[in-house]
Amino acid sequence: MVSARDGRPGQGYSAPGAFTTAFSPGVGPRAGYPAPEPVRHDETGYDEPRYDDDEPIGELEARYEWIVGLMSSFTDQRVVRWIIAFFTASMGVCATLEILYGFGGTTTFTVGVQIGCAAFAFAAALWWTVTSWPRLHTAFAFVVLSNLGILAANLSADMPPAYAVGKTTFFVVLGLFAGVFLDRWMLATHIAIAGVAVTSIIGYNMLFEDVPPLGALVVWAPVMSLVIAVPALLYTFVRAVRLDQS
C-alpha cells in the first residue's frame, strides 16, 4: 500500500480510505471505514503490522480505525507515537527527579511506589516508540494504567502542595489522547478515574499539608474543569465530524 501523504508504503492504517470516508459526502455510516490489511514487508522497512482480514471487527473497533485512519491521512503515525512517548517519559522523569532532589517517599514502600511508577512510565514510553499503533483495548489499558500511575506517584511523594497540584496537569494531557481515540464509556472511565485522583490529591493536601479549604477549592475547580471539558469536547468534535460525513 502507498500512503497518499508521501508515497511511502506501509502506513499502519489505510490513510486514503480514511480521508475519503471522512470528507466525501454520501458515504454510509460504516461502509467507508478503512478496511484492515495484512502485514506487508518490503525493502523500505515500513512494515507496521495490520489487522488480520479474517478477524471480526466490532463497532467500537470500526470507529477507532476510522479515527486512526483519519489521523494517518494528515500525519505520520510515528510522529504521534513519539509525541505520546515523550509525554509518557516525562512522567517518569518527574518521579525520578523527586527522589533525587529529596521529595521521595518517607518510607521504603512509598519510595518503591515512586520507583515503580517511574519504571512503568519509561517502559510505556519505550513501547510507544517501538510498537505499531495499538488496538483499542490496549490503548484503553494504557490510559487507565497511566491514570493510576500518576495518582500513585503523586500521593507517595513527599513534596510541597504546589508541586503536587502541578503534576495533576498530566491528567489533562492524558485526556487529549482519550478524548480523540477512545469510545464514550472508555472516556467516561478515564474522566471518573482522573476526577477521583485530582480530588484525592488536592483533598490530601488540604487535610495534611495545611492548605486552606478555599485555596483547595480554587485549585480543584479549574483542574476538574479541564479534566472533564478537554476530553469531552474533543470526543464531541470527532463524533460530530464522523456523523456529518456518514
Side-chain angles (χ1 to χ4, degrees):
M1 182 183 71
V2 178
S3 170
R5 184 184 59 82
D6 56 7
R8 295 181 301 185
Q11 295 296 325
Y13 288 79
S14 176
F19 188 85
T20 302
T21 302
F23 296 100
S24 297
V27 179
R30 288 195 293 272
Y33 289 151
E37 300 180 13
V39 176
R40 292 182 181 176
H41 299 272
D42 56 40
E43 66 280 359
T44 62
Y46 297 101
D47 58 351
E48 293 192 13
R50 311 173 192 280
Y51 296 171
D52 294 333
D53 283 336
D54 58 352
E55 183 176 354
I57 298 179
E59 185 175 352
L60 297 184
E61 285 281 1
R63 174 191 175 275
Y64 180 69
E65 283 194 33
W66 182 88
I67 297 170
V68 176
L70 180 63
M71 174 195 69
S72 301
S73 68
F74 289 104
T75 187
D76 193 324
Q77 287 185 20
R78 290 168 299 179
V79 174
V80 181
R81 293 205 313 268
W82 275 93
I83 293 174
I84 297 174
F86 174 81
F87 153 72
T88 307
S90 66
M91 296 189 293
V93 170
C94 285
T96 302
L97 291 178
E98 290 164 6
I99 297 173
L100 294 178
Y101 282 87
F103 296 117
T106 55
T107 66
T108 303
F109 174 76
T110 53
V111 172
V113 170
Q114 281 184 284
I115 294 175
C117 292
F120 166 77
F122 289 129
L126 179 62
W127 173 73
W128 273 107
T129 60
V130 300
T131 188
S132 59
W133 195 269
R135 296 291 295 266
L136 173 61
H137 288 85
T138 304
F140 176 57
F142 163 75
V143 170
V144 171
L145 292 175
S146 296
N147 278 321
L148 297 178
I150 296 169
L151 174 62
N154 205 315
L155 291 180
S156 60
D158 183 21
M159 65 177 70
Y163 292 12
V165 172
K167 287 174 59 181
T168 59
T169 309
F170 282 128
F171 293 113
V172 180
V173 180
L174 196 61
L176 296 175
F177 178 87
V180 172
F181 294 104
L182 298 186
D183 186 67
R184 60 174 174 264
W185 71 267
M186 296 179 178
L187 177 60
T189 301
H190 158 73
I191 292 176
I193 295 175
V196 171
V198 170
T199 303
S200 300
I201 292 168
I202 296 178
Y204 175 87
N205 283 278
M206 182 183 69
L207 294 175
F208 299 104
E209 298 293 339
D210 296 327
V211 175
L214 178 60
L217 178 63
V218 168
V219 173
W220 177 85
V223 173
M224 281 294 295
S225 298
L226 289 174
V227 166
I228 297 172
V230 169
L233 289 174
L234 285 173
Y235 174 84
T236 302
F237 172 77
V238 172
R239 183 175 183 272
V241 171
R242 184 170 65 91
L243 293 178
D244 182 65
Q245 300 301 324
S246 61

